[in-house]
PDB file of all heavy atoms in Angstrom:
ATOM      1  N   VAL A   8     396.286 -69.938  45.858  1.00  0.00           N
ATOM      2  CA  VAL A   8     395.509 -70.080  44.628  1.00  0.00           C
ATOM      3  C   VAL A   8     394.077 -69.941  45.001  1.00  0.00           C
ATOM      4  O   VAL A   8     393.565 -70.646  45.865  1.00  0.00           O
ATOM      5  CB  VAL A   8     395.715 -71.488  43.879  1.00  0.00           C
ATOM      6  CG1 VAL A   8     394.811 -71.605  42.685  1.00  0.00           C
ATOM      7  CG2 VAL A   8     397.243 -71.619  43.495  1.00  0.00           C
ATOM      8  N   THR A  14     391.216 -74.513  36.548  1.00  0.00           N
ATOM      9  CA  THR A  14     392.306 -73.574  36.395  1.00  0.00           C
ATOM     10  C   THR A  14     393.146 -73.661  37.639  1.00  0.00           C
ATOM     11  O   THR A  14     394.336 -73.879  37.638  1.00  0.00           O
ATOM     12  CB  THR A  14     391.941 -72.169  36.141  1.00  0.00           C
ATOM     13  OG1 THR A  14     390.917 -72.111  35.029  1.00  0.00           O
ATOM     14  CG2 THR A  14     393.095 -71.259  35.900  1.00  0.00           C
ATOM     15  N   GLY A  49     373.558 -94.532  43.015  1.00  0.00           N
ATOM     16  CA  GLY A  49     375.032 -94.626  43.051  1.00  0.00           C
ATOM     17  C   GLY A  49     375.714 -94.179  41.885  1.00  0.00           C
ATOM     18  O   GLY A  49     376.660 -94.918  41.356  1.00  0.00           O
ATOM     19  N   PHE A 132     386.075 -58.023  13.539  1.00  0.00           N
ATOM     20  CA  PHE A 132     384.554 -57.862  13.828  1.00  0.00           C
ATOM     21  C   PHE A 132     384.222 -57.721  15.272  1.00  0.00           C
ATOM     22  O   PHE A 132     383.133 -57.829  15.718  1.00  0.00           O
ATOM     23  CB  PHE A 132     383.829 -59.049  13.222  1.00  0.00           C
ATOM     24  CG  PHE A 132     383.956 -59.144  11.685  1.00  0.00           C
ATOM     25  CD1 PHE A 132     385.065 -59.879  11.159  1.00  0.00           C
ATOM     26  CD2 PHE A 132     383.107 -58.525  10.849  1.00  0.00           C
ATOM     27  CE1 PHE A 132     385.267 -59.987   9.787  1.00  0.00           C
ATOM     28  CE2 PHE A 132     383.259 -58.629   9.521  1.00  0.00           C
ATOM     29  CZ  PHE A 132     384.322 -59.344   8.909  1.00  0.00           C
ATOM     30  N   GLU A 139     373.505 -57.548  14.074  1.00  0.00           N
ATOM     31  CA  GLU A 139     373.807 -56.795  12.959  1.00  0.00           C
ATOM     32  C   GLU A 139     374.723 -57.537  11.934  1.00  0.00           C
ATOM     33  O   GLU A 139     374.389 -57.483  10.820  1.00  0.00           O
ATOM     34  CB  GLU A 139     374.673 -55.589  13.606  1.00  0.00           C
ATOM     35  CG  GLU A 139     374.982 -54.461  12.698  1.00  0.00           C
ATOM     36  CD  GLU A 139     375.975 -53.642  13.523  1.00  0.00           C
ATOM     37  OE1 GLU A 139     376.016 -53.660  14.801  1.00  0.00           O
ATOM     38  OE2 GLU A 139     376.829 -52.802  12.845  1.00  0.00           O
ATOM     39  N   ARG A 168     374.097 -58.203  23.136  1.00  0.00           N
ATOM     40  CA  ARG A 168     375.410 -57.579  23.450  1.00  0.00           C
ATOM     41  C   ARG A 168     376.520 -58.251  22.724  1.00  0.00           C
ATOM     42  O   ARG A 168     377.659 -57.661  22.608  1.00  0.00           O
ATOM     43  CB  ARG A 168     375.733 -57.717  24.906  1.00  0.00           C
ATOM     44  CG  ARG A 168     374.860 -57.032  25.893  1.00  0.00           C
ATOM     45  CD  ARG A 168     375.181 -57.512  27.291  1.00  0.00           C
ATOM     46  NE  ARG A 168     374.375 -56.955  28.266  1.00  0.00           N
ATOM     47  CZ  ARG A 168     374.837 -55.913  28.983  1.00  0.00           C
ATOM     48  NH1 ARG A 168     375.986 -55.315  28.729  1.00  0.00           N
ATOM     49  NH2 ARG A 168     374.005 -55.338  29.973  1.00  0.00           N
ATOM     50  N   GLY A 229     394.304 -64.553  56.948  1.00  0.00           N
ATOM     51  CA  GLY A 229     395.215 -64.537  58.087  1.00  0.00           C
ATOM     52  C   GLY A 229     396.615 -65.187  57.828  1.00  0.00           C
ATOM     53  O   GLY A 229     397.403 -65.241  58.790  1.00  0.00           O
ATOM     54  N   ARG A 231     400.145 -65.463  55.299  1.00  0.00           N
ATOM     55  CA  ARG A 231     401.038 -64.614  54.408  1.00  0.00           C
ATOM     56  C   ARG A 231     401.464 -65.521  53.108  1.00  0.00           C
ATOM     57  O   ARG A 231     401.848 -66.638  53.286  1.00  0.00           O
ATOM     58  CB  ARG A 231     402.335 -64.218  55.109  1.00  0.00           C
ATOM     59  CG  ARG A 231     402.053 -63.288  56.244  1.00  0.00           C
ATOM     60  CD  ARG A 231     402.236 -61.896  55.763  1.00  0.00           C
ATOM     61  NE  ARG A 231     401.504 -61.007  56.687  1.00  0.00           N
ATOM     62  CZ  ARG A 231     401.858 -59.826  56.854  1.00  0.00           C
ATOM     63  NH1 ARG A 231     402.949 -59.382  56.378  1.00  0.00           N
ATOM     64  NH2 ARG A 231     401.176 -58.987  57.725  1.00  0.00           N
ATOM     65  N   THR A 238     391.845 -67.380  40.305  1.00  0.00           N
ATOM     66  CA  THR A 238     391.151 -68.067  39.195  1.00  0.00           C
ATOM     67  C   THR A 238     389.636 -67.977  39.360  1.00  0.00           C
ATOM     68  O   THR A 238     388.977 -68.673  38.580  1.00  0.00           O
ATOM     69  CB  THR A 238     391.556 -69.576  39.134  1.00  0.00           C
ATOM     70  OG1 THR A 238     390.949 -70.291  40.161  1.00  0.00           O
ATOM     71  CG2 THR A 238     393.077 -69.757  39.318  1.00  0.00           C
ATOM     72  N   ALA A 239     389.140 -67.260  40.235  1.00  0.00           N
ATOM     73  CA  ALA A 239     387.683 -67.117  40.503  1.00  0.00           C
ATOM     74  C   ALA A 239     387.158 -65.984  39.489  1.00  0.00           C
ATOM     75  O   ALA A 239     387.971 -65.370  39.012  1.00  0.00           O
ATOM     76  CB  ALA A 239     387.404 -66.854  41.950  1.00  0.00           C
ATOM     77  N   ASN A 284     360.989 -72.250  19.749  1.00  0.00           N
ATOM     78  CA  ASN A 284     359.941 -71.379  20.404  1.00  0.00           C
ATOM     79  C   ASN A 284     360.425 -70.995  21.798  1.00  0.00           C
ATOM     80  O   ASN A 284     361.091 -71.683  22.454  1.00  0.00           O
ATOM     81  CB  ASN A 284     358.699 -72.195  20.561  1.00  0.00           C
ATOM     82  CG  ASN A 284     358.154 -72.826  19.283  1.00  0.00           C
ATOM     83  OD1 ASN A 284     358.400 -74.046  19.089  1.00  0.00           O
ATOM     84  ND2 ASN A 284     357.757 -72.112  18.312  1.00  0.00           N
ATOM     85  N   PRO A 285     359.993 -69.765  22.201  1.00  0.00           N
ATOM     86  CA  PRO A 285     360.477 -69.324  23.546  1.00  0.00           C
ATOM     87  C   PRO A 285     360.079 -70.247  24.633  1.00  0.00           C
ATOM     88  O   PRO A 285     358.932 -70.810  24.606  1.00  0.00           O
ATOM     89  CB  PRO A 285     359.833 -67.991  23.656  1.00  0.00           C
ATOM     90  CG  PRO A 285     359.226 -67.595  22.277  1.00  0.00           C
ATOM     91  CD  PRO A 285     359.138 -68.825  21.502  1.00  0.00           C
ATOM     92  N   VAL A 307     368.661 -89.454  32.087  1.00  0.00           N
ATOM     93  CA  VAL A 307     369.173 -88.306  32.761  1.00  0.00           C
ATOM     94  C   VAL A 307     369.130 -87.117  31.757  1.00  0.00           C
ATOM     95  O   VAL A 307     369.687 -87.251  30.706  1.00  0.00           O
ATOM     96  CB  VAL A 307     370.688 -88.611  33.265  1.00  0.00           C
ATOM     97  CG1 VAL A 307     371.244 -87.315  33.901  1.00  0.00           C
ATOM     98  CG2 VAL A 307     370.655 -89.692  34.238  1.00  0.00           C
ATOM     99  N   LYS A 377     402.400 -56.430  41.407  1.00  0.00           N
ATOM    100  CA  LYS A 377     403.463 -57.472  41.414  1.00  0.00           C
ATOM    101  C   LYS A 377     403.027 -58.608  42.396  1.00  0.00           C
ATOM    102  O   LYS A 377     402.684 -58.435  43.516  1.00  0.00           O
ATOM    103  CB  LYS A 377     404.717 -56.783  41.868  1.00  0.00           C
ATOM    104  CG  LYS A 377     405.977 -57.606  41.602  1.00  0.00           C
ATOM    105  CD  LYS A 377     407.157 -56.685  41.747  1.00  0.00           C
ATOM    106  CE  LYS A 377     408.488 -57.548  41.707  1.00  0.00           C
ATOM    107  NZ  LYS A 377     408.911 -58.050  42.925  1.00  0.00           N
ATOM    108  N   PHE A 413     409.505 -65.965  39.815  1.00  0.00           N
ATOM    109  CA  PHE A 413     410.154 -66.196  41.023  1.00  0.00           C
ATOM    110  C   PHE A 413     411.404 -67.073  40.936  1.00  0.00           C
ATOM    111  O   PHE A 413     411.878 -67.570  41.946  1.00  0.00           O
ATOM    112  CB  PHE A 413     409.157 -66.802  42.103  1.00  0.00           C
ATOM    113  CG  PHE A 413     408.167 -65.774  42.528  1.00  0.00           C
ATOM    114  CD1 PHE A 413     407.030 -65.418  41.801  1.00  0.00           C
ATOM    115  CD2 PHE A 413     408.402 -65.116  43.762  1.00  0.00           C
ATOM    116  CE1 PHE A 413     406.163 -64.456  42.270  1.00  0.00           C
ATOM    117  CE2 PHE A 413     407.399 -64.120  44.188  1.00  0.00           C
ATOM    118  CZ  PHE A 413     406.430 -63.774  43.447  1.00  0.00           C
TER     119      PHE A 413
END
Side-chain angles (χ1 to χ4, degrees):
V8 174
T14 308
F132 299 89
E139 183 192 340
R168 293 170 179 265
R231 295 267 157 149
T238 75
N284 311 106
V307 178
K377 196 163 171 270
F413 286 82

